């Protein structure tokens, strides 16, 4: 009886709010949870719709999608930052992207800066359990092309093709080659372990140049950034197409490239794995902001979009860090909820385990 009376009083109060043109969300916040059914009857609003009105974007997406399952693609992570294992179920073939394992340091300009994966960012996967048809490296920085991690993976899985963006292409000139040779450690290992995959260079007809690994075809899309060489890896397969750009995208895609991507995705999903964080090194902004990434995503309109490389699990050290502290290495991150609000129909989550209900599952072996 007391419950009914309380609900009656609350509902009459809400009736006054409704008459003042309050929104459904504002009305719902006026009610206790145990009065929702009575309120739904009064307003002739489906109960589930009323419950959903108070959900966050992440909660709504989580109720309707399964992170890591995109058509015939199966996406899994090898760490909680940016190492991916992607399988095309139609061909039962897979690729590993940017392997970076626990206990393997990345050296930038010798000892000027070091980066290492923290134990919280490592899911404890036995390296020997990882099977793949090949390894794709997004760029030559040592937390992406990490030679110690790659060498351990190859030792465990036998030799597989390694496709690298190292010294993107000869026309990038001496400056890029110098940065590669002196800026990052393990240069000789990189050169020995990998094969350069081509720039896509789409024709007016939308045809692309690819390097093949079994069912997968790989090329490097877009113009290189002068300082770092960030570009987007484009992968085509019988399961669809993948765009992979851990540090975001530095330039809009050309019309020829957009036409080529459109041809690849006919009847198949386009999955974009693109970083949204902004990186500052030594006080210099070296990646684009989320606002620019939004523009590019609106341009390509992927079927599914995953954030990556939030750099939340990095232990940073080296001479620069000792002298300058956090100003030597700073990352501005966009909250998962804000990313979701920007792309409520495409956002599927990230590898991160921090404040993230849309977690891509961990690789569990073949």
């Amino acid at each position: 009886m007391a419950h009914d009376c309380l609900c009656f009083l609350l509902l009459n109060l809400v009736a006054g709010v409704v008459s003042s043109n309050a929104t459904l969300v504002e009305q719902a916040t006026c009610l206790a949870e145990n009065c929702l059914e009575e309120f739904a009857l009064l307003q002739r609003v489906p109960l589930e719709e009323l419950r959903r009105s108070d959900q966050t974007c992440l909660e709504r997406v989580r109720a309707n999608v399964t992170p890591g399952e995109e058509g015939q693609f199966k996406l899994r992570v090898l760490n909680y930052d940016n190492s991916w294992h992607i399988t095309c179920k139609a061909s039962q073939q897979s690729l590993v992207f940017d392997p970076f394992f626990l206990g393997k340091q990345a050296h930038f300009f010798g000892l000027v800066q070091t980066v290492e994966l923290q134990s919280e960012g490592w899911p404890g996967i036995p390296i020997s359990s990882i099977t793949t048809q090949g390894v794709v490296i997004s760029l030559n920085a040592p937390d992406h092309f990490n030679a110690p991690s790659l060498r351990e993976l190859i030792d465990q899985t036998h030799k597989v093709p390694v496709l690298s963006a190292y010294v993107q292409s000869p026309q990038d000139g001496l400056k890029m080659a110098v940065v590669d040779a002196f800026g990052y450690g393990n240069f000789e290992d990189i050169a020995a372990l990998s094969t350069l995959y081509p720039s896509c260079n789409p024709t007016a007809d939308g045809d692309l140049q690819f390097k093949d690994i079994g069912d997968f075809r790989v090329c490097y899309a877009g113009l290189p950034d002068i300082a770092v060489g960030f570009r987007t890896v484009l992968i085509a397969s019988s399961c669809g197409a993948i765009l992979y750009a851990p540090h975001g995208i530095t330039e809009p895609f050309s019309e020829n490239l957009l036409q080529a991507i459109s041809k690849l995705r006919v009847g198949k999903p386009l999955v974009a794995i693109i970083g949204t964080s902004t990186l500052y090194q030594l006080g210099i902004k070296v990646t684009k902001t989320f606002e620019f990434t939004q523009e590019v995503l609106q341009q390509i309109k992927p079927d599914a979009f995953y954030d990556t490389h939030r750099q939340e699990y990095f232990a940073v050290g080296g001479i620069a860090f000792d002298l300058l502290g956090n100003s030597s290495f700073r990352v501005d991150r966009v909250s998962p909820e804000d990313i979701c609000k920007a792309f409520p129909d495409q956002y599927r989550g990230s590898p991160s385990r921090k404040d993230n209900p849309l977690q891509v599952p961990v690789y569990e072996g073949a």
Side-chain angles (χ1 to χ4, degrees):
M1 180 67 179
H3 167 77
D4 293 340
C5 289
L6 178 60
C7 282
F8 177 78
L9 290 171
L10 283 170
L11 291 173
N12 275 282
L13 175 63
V14 169
V17 176
V18 172
S19 66
S20 301
N21 297 318
T23 65
L24 180 61
V25 174
E26 290 167 340
Q27 297 164 27
T29 58
C30 295
L31 292 172
E33 176 66 24
N34 58 357
C35 291
L36 280 177
E37 293 186 18
E38 289 89 342
F39 182 65
L41 286 172
L42 185 67
Q43 296 300 310
R44 294 183 174 84
V45 176
L47 182 59
E48 287 307 309
E49 181 179 334
L50 185 60
R51 292 185 189 278
R52 286 197 301 270
S53 67
D54 201 31
Q55 286 181 315
T56 66
C57 180
L58 291 171
E59 288 170 342
R60 288 194 295 273
V61 173
R62 187 68 186 91
N64 292 288
V65 304
T66 302
E69 302 295 332
E70 305 296 340
Q72 289 291 303
F73 281 126
K74 178 180 178 181
L75 287 72
R76 297 295 184 263
V77 295
L78 303 177
N79 66 29
Y80 297 146
D81 181 61
N82 182 51
S83 295
W84 293 77
H85 185 284
I86 299 180
T87 301
C88 172
K89 296 178 187 177
S91 63
Q92 288 300 304
Q93 295 185 12
S94 63
L95 291 176
V96 165
F97 296 75
D98 287 3
F100 189 27
F101 301 146
L102 186 68
K104 311 298 184 184
Q105 276 197 342
H107 293 269
F108 295 79
F109 294 90
L111 295 177
V112 172
Q113 187 176 81
T114 63
V115 171
E116 192 169 350
L117 192 68
Q118 296 173 332
S119 58
E120 294 87 351
W122 177 245
I125 300 170
I127 307 303
S128 59
S129 72
I130 301 172
T131 61
T132 183
Q133 271 64 51
V135 180
V136 173
I137 306 299
S138 62
L139 67 147
N140 50 8
D143 57 328
H144 297 265
F145 200 138
N146 185 255
S149 296
L150 186 59
R151 195 180 303 111
E152 181 175 358
L153 178 64
I154 290 175
D155 288 346
Q156 296 284 356
T157 63
H158 308 295
K159 188 165 180 64
V160 295
V162 177
L163 297 189
S164 166
Y166 133 79
V167 189
Q168 329 297 343
S169 59
Q171 64 263 31
D172 288 335
L174 179 63
K175 181 176 181 179
M176 183 64 73
V178 170
V179 170
D180 286 337
F182 298 104
Y184 303 140
N186 307 303
F187 179 81
E188 292 182 359
D189 286 342
I190 290 172
L193 287 171
S194 65
T195 299
L196 174 69
Y197 52 81
S199 296
C200 296
N201 293 332
T203 66
D205 295 327
D207 296 322
L208 297 169
Q209 301 179 48
F210 283 111
K211 180 71 176 180
D212 294 346
I213 305 180
D215 182 48
F216 297 97
R217 295 173 292 156
V218 183
C219 66
Y220 215 32
L223 298 173
D225 178 86
I226 296 299
V228 187
F230 299 145
R231 283 193 277 178
T232 304
V233 186
L234 172 61
I235 300 102
S237 77
S238 59
C239 289
I242 297 169
L243 291 170
Y244 180 58
H247 280 289
I249 300 174
T250 58
E251 297 287 343
F253 291 146
S254 69
E255 288 301 319
N256 285 351
L257 183 56
L258 289 173
Q259 180 181 351
I261 293 172
S262 296
K263 291 174 64 175
L264 293 174
R265 69 188 295 186
V266 173
K268 302 171 185 176
L270 171 64
V271 179
I273 304 173
I274 297 176
T276 63
S277 302
T278 304
L279 173 64
Y280 296 80
Q281 288 185 305
L282 302 177
I284 301 170
K285 184 171 70 173
V286 297
T287 63
K288 298 285 188 178
T289 63
F290 178 51
E291 287 72 22
F292 185 85
T293 299
Q294 285 179 269
E295 293 178 21
V296 176
L297 286 169
Q298 294 290 354
Q299 185 188 32
I300 60 177
K301 296 179 173 60
D303 297 287
F305 160 48
Y306 289 84
D307 189 19
T308 192
H309 203 32
R310 293 175 64 81
Q311 300 171 84
E312 297 168 307
Y313 301 95
F314 280 1
V316 182
I319 297 170
F321 188 80
D322 292 341
L323 292 174
L324 303 174
N326 290 332
S327 64
S328 71
F329 185 93
R330 190 184 100 222
V331 181
D332 289 349
R333 303 177 185 90
V334 184
S335 74
E337 178 68 14
D338 286 342
I339 299 171
C340 184
K341 288 177 180 177
F343 297 96
D345 297 323
Q346 292 85 27
Y347 184 58
R348 298 291 188 270
S350 77
S352 176
R353 267 47 186 171
K354 295 189 177 183
D355 300 321
N356 177 30
L358 294 174
Q359 301 174 357
V360 181
V362 172
Y363 175 78
E364 295 180 343

